Amino acid sequence: MALGEHVVNDYQTIRLSLKAHPMHFLRAHYDARGFVIADSLRTLRNGRRVSLAGLVLIRQRPGSAKGVCFITLEDETGIANLVVWPDAFYAQRKVVMGARLMIVHGVIQRDEDIIHLIARTLEDDTAMLRAISEEPMPSTLSVADAGGSWRPAAAAHPRDVVCIPKSRDFH
């Protein structure tokens, strides 16, 4: 089995791989387009415009954040914290809520050791995951994202599955 297939298989079963990161296989594509890696955000100056691609790990939109959405992207070098202001969120809601592999064009904002990438434009590049293997990558969406789940839909409710024995009820 090719390394890419191993990685996809690992992600299908346990949502991570110790062999490689999916972005490892796509790095040449993004390097050719001038994208930075997550690890390099620490060394780049405040206010610099950059493009970054990574797998979506977390989407958060706390009620106390006045409509701001926080996204954590991961590539093979580390994580990047995105800030998506409400106007960008509403303009690009489908990408924000549905992308598994996201491209972000934005501006670095740093405050001492805290680094954020303020998202200006977001793109759904999930289709690039097909370049890793013929097997589909699982979705990173959860039920709370209103986008489904990475697990295949159950045929029936878990309580009705035959392999689970009936409860031992005593009357």
Side-chain angles (χ1 to χ4, degrees), residues 62-128:
S64 61
K66 298 181 182 175
V68 177
C69 182
F70 302 98
I71 300 173
T72 302
L73 292 186
E74 178 187 53
D75 68 13
E76 71 277 23
T77 66
I79 62 169
N81 296 310
L82 310 183
V83 175
V84 183
W85 294 111
D87 57 339
F89 175 84
Y90 290 116
Q92 302 168 90
R93 181 181 175 86
K94 185 175 180 181
V95 173
V96 170
M97 298 305 291
R100 290 182 284 157
L101 173 59
M102 186 181 289
I103 291 175
V104 59
H105 306 283
V107 178
I108 295 174
Q109 181 184 67
R110 63 173 57 247
D111 183 15
E112 295 181 20
D113 291 336
I114 301 169
I115 302 166
H116 289 101
L117 185 54
I118 307 301
R120 304 284 183 181
T121 307
L122 301 162
E123 299 174 36
D124 185 347
D125 212 18
T126 304
M128 281 299 296

